[in-house]
Amino acid sequence: MRSDSDDNWDSIREKIIGLGEQSIRKSYYPELQQRLSELERFRALLDETNEAIFLCEVPSGRFADVNKSACQQLGYSSSQMLGMRVDDIIAPDKMEEMRTIIFSLFDGKHLQNRKTIETVIMGGDSSQTNVEMSISLVRFGDAFYTVMVAHDITERKIFEDALKSSLREKEVLIKEIHHRVKNNMQIISSLLNLQKQYVNDEEAVNVLKESQNRVKSMAMIHEKLYKSRNFSEINFADYIRSLVSDLFYSYGVDSNRIRTIIVLDEVMMGLETAIPCGLIVSELVTNTLKYAFPHQEEGEFRIELHAYEDGFYELIISDNGVGIPENFDLDETETLGLQLVKSLVNQLEGTVELIREGGTMFKIRFKELEYKERI
Amino acid sequence: MSNIVELRKFVAPEFIFGSGARLLVGRYAKNFGARKVLIVTDPGILAMGLVDPVLDALKAEGIDYEIYSNIKPNPTAHQVMEGAEFYLNNNCNFIVAVGGGSPMDCAKAIGIVSSNQRDVHEFEGVDKVAIPSAPLICIPTTAGSAADVSQFAIITDSERKLKMAIVSKTVVPDVALIDPETTLTMDKAITIATGFDVLSHAIEAYVSNASSPITDLHALEAIRLVVSNLIPAINDLGNIELRGKMMLSSLNAGLAFSNASLGLVHAMAHSLGGLLDLSHGECNALLLDRVVEFNFEAESEKYKEIARAFRLEVDGLKDEDVKMALTKGIMDLKDKAHVNYSLKHVGVRGEDIPELARKAMNDACIITNPKRPSQSDVEEIFKNAL
C-alpha cells in the first residue's frame, strides 16, 4: 500500500478504519438524486410549453406520457390520460389520416422523419380544437413510440377564414363591377342602336353602327371577365370567336359568302391587353366585312392568333378580297378605324404590318402588357 | 442439526460504533445526497436534547430538515402513515432516526410507505417490500432493539391489536451511527427492559434454526456481554464504559438476530405488546426462561453453550440439569434486575391466553424457533408465565 509522505500515519489509519471524509460505501443514490432533479427540470420545460405533447406507444396507441398542457387542453388528469389511446383524442373523421401517418412511420421504422399535419383533437367535454401536429417515431430499447406535438391553430384558422371570406367578398365585388360595366356598355350600345334608327343618312348610320360594335367588343370582354375563374384574365381565343360571329351578325354577312377560317392558340389575356386587342380585332374584321368583298362577292376571311415562347403574340387578320387601294398608307390614313388600330397597336407597344398579296393581311406583333398601378 | 456448508447470508448496514459516532450524521447525509432530511424521533428524546447535536451536524453541512416526533412506544400503523404523509408533503429525500426501537421502526416503515406509496399493512410478513426506502441513518439511543442494524420493523396494528412484523432486507438501514454516549440518559427501568431485550435477541438468534457460524459468534458474545454488564450498568447508570459494553452487546445481538431471526419469545412478546401495549423488553424478560424450558431439548448443545456464556458450571451435567441450571441462571439475573414478577402483574388475564397464543402462532418470528410449537404449547407457556 502506498502512503503519501504528506499524510501522516494517523490520518491514513483513520481512513483505513473508514472515518475519512471520502470513506463512503458505494451508493448510486446521490447520482440518482441529481439525475432526478435534472429530470424534474426537464419535466418543467415540457410542462410549461403551450404545445400539447404526447408520447404514445406504437402500435397500441396507448399514451405512455403526456405533458401538462396536453392535460389542460383536453381537460383530463394525467392519470386519466395514461389509460387512454390516440383514438380517444382525435376527432373520428381525422383518425384514419392519423393512423395512416403513424403506421407509415412505424412500418418503415422512419426514426428521423417528422411529419406535420393539421388535425382536430377532442377534449373530455367533446370540444374540438384545430391543431397542427408534428409526429415523429422514437425508439426506447425494443419499444417504439410516437412523439406527437400539437400546436393550437384555432386563431390561425380564424384568420385564414377571415382572409378567405374577405377574398370572396372582393371576388363578388369585382364580378359585380365587371357585370355593371358590361351592362352600362350594353346600354350605350343599345342607345347607339336606337339612335341609328332615327337617322337617315347612311354615313351617320354607319358611324353609329361602328361605334356600337366598338362598345360591344369592350362589353364582351367584361362579360367574359366576370364569367372567368379569376376575374383578371379571359380566354382570348374564345373571345375572338364570339366577337367575330357577333360582327358577322351585325353586318348581316352570310358566313357562306365570306368563309371564315379561325386559327387560334389558346391564350389567356389580361384586361389591360385584351381591351385594345379586342378593339383592333373589331376594327379590322369590320374593315374586311365592309370593304374586302364588294357587290356580294364571295371570299375567304382568316384570323389567326399565335403565342410564341418569347412572350410575343402574333395576330393575323387577312382576306383574299379586293385589297386596299395602292395609294393607301397606314401611317397617313385618315379613316378613324385604321387610325384607331394604329394608336391601339402603339398602346400595346407592338408593331403592325400591312401585306398586300392576294388581298389584305394585317400582321400585328405585341406582348402582354404589364399591369400598371394607377394613382 | 446445523451444517457448516448450509447456505447462509449475512446482511448488515455500514455501522460506526463509538463515542461521537452520532456527530458524523452530517457528513453521511451529505455524501448520500440528502437535500431535505426527515428526522424521526419521539418527544422524550427531543426533550432530553439528544436530537440537538444531530440538527447541528446537519446545519453545518447546510442540509435542510423536518422533525416528525408524534411517536409513542410501540408505534402504530397510523403514526407511520402520518409520518409518511409528512415526509412526502415536505418533499424529503432522506431519513434519520434518533431514538430507541420505536422511532427507528417507525422511520423504517415511513421510508418504505413513502417509496412504495402503499399502506403499511401491505408489508406485513417476510419480503413484502418491493421498493427500498430513501436512505436511512439510524442513531440508536437505547442499547436494546438493535433496529439500527436489523431487517425487522415492528409496527402495532391498533385495530387488530397485534404487532405486525415487517421483515425485509430493504428495511436494513444504510448506516448505523452507534454512539454509547446517547444511552447515558436511559433511566434504570429502560436500561433493564432493553437489557433483557438484548438477552432475548441473543439467545433466540443463537438457537434459531436459521443461525449460522457467523451469527453464533455475535450471539454468544452478546450473551456474555449482557450477563457480565447488565447488573453493573443498572447500578452505575453514568458509567460510559458499562454503557459502551451494553451497546456493544446490543449491536452483536442485532447482527445475530437480524440474520438468524428470532423465536417463540418474540412471537409471544409481540402478541402481548399488541394486546396490552406493554414494554417489549419487559415482555421478553417475563417469557424468556419459560421458552428456554420449552425449547431446550431441541437444541440442548446450544443451550449448554448459552449456560457457559452465563458462566454456569455445566460440564458433565445431564441435559435436564443443564436446563435447570440455565433457567435458574436467567431467573437469577431477573431477580438482580428486580424483574421478580409475572405476566399476571402486568395485567394479563387467563382468558386473554387463547387470543394471545393464536396471534403468537401467526407471528413471523415463530418460524425460526428451534422447536415447532402447537397452539396449545404456546397457551401452556403463557399459563406457566402467568
Side-chain angles (χ1 to χ4, degrees):
Chain A
M1 200 185 298
R2 200 174 71 90
S3 65
D4 295 327
S5 53
D6 289 350
D7 268 332
N8 60 45
W9 280 40
D10 283 350
S11 97
I12 297 172
R13 181 175 162 274
E14 285 251 300
K15 289 177 189 170
I16 293 168
I17 292 170
L19 301 176
E21 189 78 37
Q22 292 304 313
S23 305
I24 328 158
R25 204 158 71 155
K26 184 171 105 178
S27 167
Y28 292 108
Y29 194 74
E31 184 67 17
L32 212 68
Q33 291 291 300
Q34 203 185 330
R35 292 270 183 273
L36 211 62
S37 42
E38 278 170 21
L39 206 68
E40 277 167 8
R41 284 202 295 273
F42 189 62
R43 183 84 221 178
L45 273 181
L46 285 182
D47 278 344
E48 297 311 317
T49 68
N50 286 327
E51 269 77 10
I53 304 174
F54 310 86
L55 182 71
C56 158
E57 284 172 4
V58 192
S60 74
R62 215 164 275 290
F63 293 119
D65 207 346
V66 294
N67 75 341
K68 206 165 79 185
S69 294
C71 298
Q72 283 169 350
Q73 284 178 31
L74 295 172
Y76 294 112
S77 71
S78 80
S79 58
Q80 273 176 312
M81 288 232 57
L82 296 184
M84 292 164 59
R85 305 190 314 150
V86 179
D87 313 44
D88 300 323
I89 64 148
I90 299 292
D93 56 325
K94 294 284 183 181
M95 196 51 222
E96 196 49 48
E97 179 190 21
M98 178 66 75
R99 203 173 280 131
T100 307
I101 288 176
I102 291 176
F103 281 96
S104 79
L105 288 169
F106 177 61
D107 293 340
K109 305 283 180 277
H110 295 305
L111 289 174
Q112 301 296 323
N113 197 352
R114 178 180 300 176
K115 301 224 168 166
T116 303
I117 55 162
E118 280 186 19
T119 187
V120 178
I121 55 175
M122 254 178 350
D125 54 358
S126 304
S127 63
Q128 300 207 335
T129 312
N130 286 300
V131 295
E132 184 179 82
M133 187 180 270
S134 76
I135 304 168
S136 49
L137 187 72
V138 294
R139 180 183 185 156
F140 301 128
D142 287 336
F144 285 89
Y145 297 84
T146 51
V147 177
M148 309 197 298
V149 182
H151 178 68
D152 188 337
I153 53 166
T154 307
E155 256 179 57
R156 196 174 92 189
K157 278 274 173 199
I158 290 169
F159 285 132
E160 273 179 16
D161 289 348
L163 214 62
K164 270 187 201 158
S165 90
S166 148
L167 192 65
R168 218 167 12 249
E169 271 171 36
K170 287 198 177 82
E171 284 172 356
V172 169
L173 204 64
I174 288 173
K175 200 169 171 175
E176 183 62 23
I177 287 170
H178 283 305
H179 199 132
R180 291 198 181 173
V181 169
K182 181 221 120 189
N183 283 351
N184 289 344
M185 285 179 163
Q186 203 117 56
I187 290 167
I188 296 169
S189 167
S190 303
L191 288 173
L192 290 170
N193 196 32
L194 272 175
Q195 197 121 43
K196 209 168 62 184
Q197 294 168 23
Y198 291 91
V199 290
N200 295 323
D201 179 35
E202 195 185 342
E203 185 57 27
V205 168
N206 235 337
V207 167
L208 287 170
K209 190 187 234 174
E210 280 175 17
S211 297
Q212 188 192 348
N213 282 336
R214 283 175 193 131
V215 172
K216 260 170 124 180
S217 79
M218 287 163 72
M220 202 182 288
I221 287 181
H222 287 283
E223 185 180 16
K224 294 270 178 207
L225 271 174
Y226 77 67
K227 286 179 178 167
S228 78
R229 212 174 327 132
N230 58 13
F231 312 112
S232 63
E233 286 182 324
I234 60 165
N235 183 328
F236 203 69
D238 243 23
Y239 167 74
I240 288 177
R241 277 184 212 105
S242 312
L243 184 60
V244 168
S245 104
D246 218 52
L247 287 167
F248 268 62
Y249 176 77
S250 163
Y251 285 98
V253 176
D254 180 357
S255 56
N256 288 322
R257 185 171 68 87
I258 302 177
R259 291 180 306 282
T260 306
I261 296 168
I262 299 178
V263 181
L264 303 168
D265 287 355
E266 290 296 309
V267 167
M268 297 301 291
M269 207 175 268
L271 181 70
E272 205 81 346
T273 316
I275 294 272
C277 208
L279 283 169
I280 290 170
V281 171
S282 167
E283 291 310 321
L284 293 177
V285 172
T286 304
N287 224 32
T288 298
L289 296 182
K290 279 171 72 178
Y291 306 116
F293 306 103
H295 317 301
Q296 301 294 310
E297 283 171 25
E298 293 189 5
E300 192 177 280
F301 159 73
R302 199 175 171 90
I303 180 162
E304 296 178 35
L305 176 68
H306 302 292
Y308 295 105
E309 280 183 4
D310 58 3
F312 275 97
Y313 296 112
E314 198 171 52
L315 176 67
I316 302 169
I317 295 169
S318 60
D319 61 66
N320 57 357
V322 295
I324 289 181
E326 282 299 316
N327 59 355
F328 174 83
D329 183 350
L330 192 59
D331 292 328
E332 302 295 327
T333 182
E334 287 185 1
T335 61
L336 174 64
L338 290 174
Q339 273 183 9
L340 206 55
V341 169
K342 246 188 69 193
S343 104
L344 289 166
V345 169
N346 279 340
Q347 194 183 321
L348 285 172
E349 295 165 7
T351 58
V352 56
E353 202 183 333
L354 171 61
I355 297 160
R356 310 156 190 264
E357 277 170 16
T360 307
M361 176 188 280
F362 284 93
K363 200 182 261 187
I364 296 155
R365 273 173 66 80
F366 62 96
K367 263 185 158 175
E368 170 104 54
L369 285 173
E370 296 278 320
Y371 175 83
K372 291 195 186 76
E373 188 109 33
R374 290 157 177 84
I375 298 161
Chain B
M1 165 156 174
S2 85
N3 178 349
I4 197 85
V5 291
E6 208 177 336
L7 279 178
R8 284 291 186 271
K9 170 164 164 174
F10 191 90
V11 175
E14 175 175 353
F15 60 82
I16 295 192
F17 183 96
S19 283
R22 68 190 188 285
L23 305 177
L24 297 173
V25 65
R27 179 197 295 178
Y28 271 93
K30 181 178 156 229
N31 284 342
F32 265 106
R35 188 187 62 240
K36 190 166 193 185
V37 175
L38 178 74
I39 295 171
V40 182
T41 187
D42 66 42
I45 302 290
L46 268 178
M48 279 186 278
L50 284 172
V51 180
D52 296 338
V54 171
L55 303 185
D56 291 341
L58 291 174
K59 277 183 210 153
E61 295 291 352
I63 297 168
D64 202 5
Y65 58 80
E66 290 288 339
I67 298 173
Y68 178 71
S69 63
N70 183 25
I71 295 171
K72 298 191 185 80
N74 300 325
T76 63
H78 174 75
Q79 287 158 6
V80 169
M81 297 313 287
E82 187 185 84
E85 201 184 324
F86 187 77
Y87 174 94
L88 292 171
N89 287 343
N90 283 286
N91 200 18
C92 298
N93 74 337
F94 202 88
I95 305 176
V96 172
V98 185
S102 302
M104 286 195 283
D105 280 352
C106 196
K108 289 174 171 185
I110 286 171
I112 54 175
V113 166
S114 53
S115 66
N116 290 272
Q117 310 252 347
R118 309 205 83 93
D119 192 277
V120 67
H121 294 91
E122 295 181 35
F123 305 122
E124 183 179 5
V126 184
D127 279 353
K128 295 283 169 60
V129 185
I131 305 167
S133 86
L136 168 65
I137 293 180
C138 282
I139 302 175
T141 60
T142 63
S145 74
D148 45 295
V149 294
S150 82
Q151 58 164 329
F152 289 72
I154 308 297
I155 302 298
T156 297
D157 180 338
S158 319
E159 274 155 39
R160 288 186 292 161
K161 286 188 183 298
L162 53 78
K163 284 189 163 190
M164 301 185 288
I166 298 168
V167 187
S168 166
K169 305 287 186 267
T170 63
V171 300
V172 175
D174 293 79
V175 178
L177 300 175
I178 307 167
D179 191 337
E181 286 178 15
T182 61
T183 62
L184 285 168
T185 49
M186 284 199 296
D187 64 20
K188 196 167 182 171
I190 295 177
T191 308
I192 293 166
T194 53
F196 276 97
D197 196 17
V198 173
L199 185 61
S200 317
H201 287 159
I203 292 177
E204 293 220 284
Y206 187 62
V207 299
S208 157
N209 61 29
S211 65
S212 74
I214 301 296
T215 59
D216 287 352
L217 270 179
H218 291 289
L220 275 181
E221 180 61 11
I223 296 167
R224 284 186 207 108
L225 283 165
V226 176
V227 169
S228 320
N229 297 290
L230 176 58
I231 304 305
I234 63 176
N235 292 321
D236 189 2
L237 295 173
N239 186 325
I240 186 67
E241 186 80 15
L242 293 172
R243 291 295 199 183
K245 283 181 174 163
M246 285 309 295
M247 196 60 143
L248 190 57
S249 84
S250 170
L251 171 60
N252 271 300
L255 293 171
F257 91 77
S258 176
N259 290 284
S261 193
L262 297 160
L264 195 49
V265 177
H266 273 79
M268 293 170 71
H270 289 157
S271 173
L272 268 176
L275 189 71
L276 297 167
D277 202 19
L278 298 172
S279 145
H280 173 63
E282 191 175 31
C283 293
N284 284 335
L286 298 178
L287 294 163
L288 184 58
D289 44 322
R290 301 294 174 183
V291 174
V292 168
E293 214 168 17
F294 173 77
N295 277 344
F296 191 91
E297 57 178 30
E299 282 289 356
S300 55
E301 279 310 306
K302 280 203 151 176
Y303 278 111
K304 202 174 206 171
E305 274 308 315
I306 294 171
R308 289 194 183 101
F310 265 76
R311 294 198 224 135
L312 299 171
E313 290 295 335
V314 290
D315 288 345
L317 288 187
K318 281 190 281 185
D319 279 358
E320 198 56 32
D321 297 331
V322 177
K323 180 162 89 175
M324 291 258 292
L326 180 55
T327 48
K328 184 172 178 302
I330 294 168
M331 284 192 285
D332 284 349
L333 195 64
K334 280 162 68 172
D335 276 345
K336 285 180 197 158
H338 318 294
V339 191
N340 45 9
Y341 48 90
S342 70
L343 288 182
K344 196 183 284 173
H345 296 96
V346 294
V348 181
R349 297 163 305 168
E351 57 263 42
D352 297 330
I353 286 175
E355 180 68 2
L356 286 169
R358 193 181 59 75
K359 284 177 178 164
M361 289 296 289
N362 287 322
D363 192 282
C365 291
I366 208 164
I367 310 270
T368 45
N369 193 59
K371 181 173 164 185
R372 187 163 184 172
S374 66
Q375 161 103 13
S376 56
D377 289 336
V378 179
E379 286 181 17
E380 190 65 26
I381 299 166
F382 270 124
K383 269 180 210 150
N384 292 339
L386 212 58

